[in-house]
Amino acid sequence: MATSQQTTVEQEAVKRDFYHLVINGEKVKSSTGETIKTYNPATGELVAEVAKASQEDAERAVQAAREAFDNGKWKKYPVGKRARVLNKIASIMRSRFNELVELEVLDTGKTIAAAQGQVSQAIEDFEFYAGAIVGHGGSVNNMPGQFQNYTEKEPVGVCAQITPWNYPMMMAAWKIAPAIAVGCSVIVKPASLTPLTTIVLGEICLEAGVPAGVVNIVPGSGSQVGNYLVEHPQVDKVAFTGSTPTGKDIMKKASDTLKRVTLELGGKSPNLVFPDADIDAAVDGSLFGIFYNSGQSCEARSRLYVHEDIYDEFMSKFVEKAKQIKLGDPFDKGTHMGAIIDQDQLDTIDGYVKSAIEDGAEVLAGGKQAHPEGYENGFWYEPTVIANVNHDMKVVQEEIFGPVVVVMKFKDEKEAIKLANDTVFGLGSAVWTKDGAQATRVAKQIQAGIVMVNCPFSAFPGTPFGGYKQSGFGRELSIESLDLYTETKSIVSYFGSRPLNPLGL
Ligand code: NAD
């Protein structure tokens, strides 16, 4: 029997047939006995069954997290001790790296190279926050006369953390690591389509010495379990990553209890190629920018703008290489692009492509479902390049979340910036130019949380990640996240020798 301070979790194989919920330091079945089945999107085969949390389970998780936060010792640990536990989580993950990668590939259908990068980053997130927390704290501020002010950073409390299906391991790490680093307790609700590595990460947290109740994992329905956590009066903060419509709904519902809310939402990120760019580097970076993770990336650079002087040369190389992208066995290092998460997402992607064709756009590559040999029962879509679009089309304005890029020409810097900012989103963006001054000018004017200059990568531990406009607010992956999991308490004191008598009584 676990107490609030110990756990009884033993190491099991990472890959198994059944996964439990993690509540109050124990691996438990759902109160209803219900399960979720997860399928390998690359093959359509069953991967595992997972206990499906009910509202009763969510309530138990809230109570466990509340008790661990209010009466537990985690937040009172010396910061160095908490840092050691975070490092231990990282070291257990590292020792089980290949197993975690395998499970992530099976659960998501992504390529092994992508999963390796993402699991590596998840590990580094824990290491980053183990270091960052040691230097995180309040400040001493100037005050007039005989007064003194200092601030303290206190953990915000019990946090509901709701994650999407596209980067399960990484999203869980982005959320759990900073929250527990500052002393919060968390209840993580992963997406039902890809809950496996998040559950294993919860188990690893217990194995590393995180006390019972501090990390709870409750896979279940968004509209039931997710919603229950968002509305729960004993939950202090919601950290959500997912689509913009769900983010809006969560923000409304969290307002009744004035919870702290951070939202990492959708995107439609622009990719600007200027005439002096290194064309080959820009082609390769732009291909990665859209087709990495099969385009199922919040910061996928799905709007490609190319200067008219280099458009023909750039596009002929871009389209030729897009057609060479290899789909198939996700465990084969030679495979460039993995599967689409499920049939619904495949239909959504195809619907967007068909709507573009009906609106008069031209498909330069791809444009239909793919059937890689040996993987005919999975969900695949061809890397798709669409030209001859105008800026009002759905395919240009809405997030598709698949391997589909729209391409347009621009004539000068001013027009490029105008087109880049003509969107409700503001997550990622990329600029390709050898002119440093131009890169700086453009970066300053793009309304997005991230600007990649001559670079296809955006997410590194320590670099703030988050959106402008309807891509959400708050930043993850960086020191800022520590602030977003804490409240600032301001302490004002008087050290004069004469008693104060402000009313003159
Ligand atoms: P989604 O919004 O459908 O679901 C995300 C999570 O929210 C899931 O766990 C789901 O079960 C839960 N949920 C759904 N309805 C809910 C409700 N009413 N209350 C509480 N929880 C609810 O998103 P998705 O399809 O899983 O993920 C894709 C989306 O995530 C894309 O829009 C993508 O851009 C976005 N995303 C953003 C980032 C970022 O950092 N900005 C990163 C990854 C993904």
Side-chain angles (χ1 to χ4, degrees), residues 162 178 196 225 258 267 269 312 314 366 417 442 467 475:
I162 302 175
L196 303 184
V225 171
L258 273 188
S269 299
D312 290 343
F314 180 95
I417 292 165
V442 174
R475 292 293 178 272

Side-chain angles (χ1 to χ4, degrees), residues 162-167 171 174 189-191 222-223 226-227 230 240-243 246 249-250 264-267 298 399 401 427 465:
I162 302 175
T163 56
W165 49 258
N166 61 332
Y167 293 127
M171 294 298 105
W174 285 21
K189 198 215 78 65
S223 55
N227 196 46
V230 169
F240 171 75
T241 299
S243 63
T246 312
D249 186 43
I250 283 178
E264 295 279 2
L265 308 178
C298 50
E399 184 183 46
F401 223 56
L427 189 57
F465 192 100

Side-chain angles (χ1 to χ4, degrees), residues 157-211:
V158 171
C159 304
Q161 303 184 314
I162 302 175
T163 56
W165 49 258
N166 61 332
Y167 293 127
M169 170 105 279
M170 229 168 59
M171 294 298 105
W174 285 21
K175 294 210 166 358
I176 297 173
I180 67 170
V182 299
C184 291
S185 302
V186 302
I187 304 146
V188 187
K189 198 215 78 65
S192 303
L193 288 169
T194 58
L196 303 184
T197 48
T198 306
I199 298 171
V200 175
L201 178 55
E203 296 167 1
I204 289 174
C205 288
L206 301 178
E207 191 188 334
V210 174

Side-chain angles (χ1 to χ4, degrees), residues 26-321:
E26 292 186 320
K27 299 199 294 191
V28 293
K29 290 198 170 154
S30 146
S31 59
T32 60
E34 278 188 88
T35 60
I36 302 166
K37 288 190 168 83
T38 70
Y39 294 90
N40 179 347
T43 60
E45 286 163 6
L46 181 72
V47 178
E49 247 182 294
V50 177
K52 180 180 180 193
S54 61
Q55 289 186 356
E56 196 182 315
D57 298 315
E59 179 60 32
R60 278 198 296 143
V62 172
Q63 293 315 320
R66 198 70 260 170
E67 171 70 18
F69 185 76
D70 292 341
N71 307 316
K73 65 185 177 184
W74 177 247
K75 67 173 186 265
K76 298 181 199 141
Y77 273 3
V79 78
K81 191 167 170 185
R82 253 186 277 134
R84 277 201 299 284
V85 176
L86 264 77
N87 275 322
K88 180 89 186 287
I89 295 170
S91 101
I92 298 172
M93 289 170 80
R94 218 176 270 293
S95 71
R96 312 198 77 180
F97 180 78
N98 289 336
E99 291 174 275
L100 288 169
V101 167
E102 182 194 356
L103 191 61
E104 194 77 328
V105 172
L106 292 172
D107 209 16
T108 62
K110 64 181 69 195
T111 62
I112 187 163
Q116 282 170 334
Q118 292 160 26
V119 174
S120 293
Q121 203 222 69
I123 295 169
E124 288 163 13
D125 292 339
F126 281 93
E127 292 167 339
F128 170 75
Y129 284 112
I133 189 60
V134 176
H136 186 253
S139 57
V140 179
N141 303 305
N142 285 335
M143 291 280 293
Q146 294 166 321
F147 293 93
Q148 189 184 42
N149 169 231
Y150 65 94
T151 62
E152 284 191 349
K153 296 282 184 182
E154 295 184 348
V156 75
V158 171
C159 304
Q161 303 184 314
I162 302 175
T163 56
W165 49 258
N166 61 332
Y167 293 127
M169 170 105 279
M170 229 168 59
M171 294 298 105
W174 285 21
K175 294 210 166 358
I176 297 173
I180 67 170
V182 299
C184 291
S185 302
V186 302
I187 304 146
V188 187
K189 198 215 78 65
S192 303
L193 288 169
T194 58
L196 303 184
T197 48
T198 306
I199 298 171
V200 175
L201 178 55
E203 296 167 1
I204 289 174
C205 288
L206 301 178
E207 191 188 334
V210 174
V214 173
V215 174
N216 306 278
I217 315 284
V218 288
S221 140
S223 55
Q224 289 168 25
V225 171
N227 196 46
Y228 187 78
L229 295 172
V230 169
E231 292 184 334
H232 202 295
Q234 287 175 282
V235 171
D236 302 296
K237 162 164 179 156
V238 180
F240 171 75
T241 299
S243 63
T244 295
T246 312
K248 289 180 183 178
D249 186 43
I250 283 178
M251 194 166 160
K252 279 187 205 134
K253 288 179 171 148
S255 71
D256 273 348
T257 43
L258 273 188
K259 285 183 180 48
R260 278 71 191 121
V261 176
T262 46
L263 301 173
E264 295 279 2
L265 308 178
K268 190 80 185 177
S269 299
N271 187 16
L272 310 179
V273 187
F274 285 91
D276 66 335
D278 175 333
I279 292 199
D280 291 322
V283 165
D284 291 338
S286 304
L287 288 162
F288 180 89
I290 179 62
F291 298 125
Y292 176 69
N293 219 49
S294 310
Q296 302 168 124
S297 268
C298 50
E299 88 296 8
R301 273 121 285 159
S302 48
R303 291 183 293 137
L304 174 57
Y305 301 99
V306 184
H307 191 273
E308 59 190 12
D309 289 354
I310 53 159
Y311 185 85
D312 290 343
E313 181 187 355
F314 180 95
M315 285 311 298
S316 91
K317 290 183 174 179
F318 185 82
V319 169
E320 191 193 323
K321 284 199 171 181

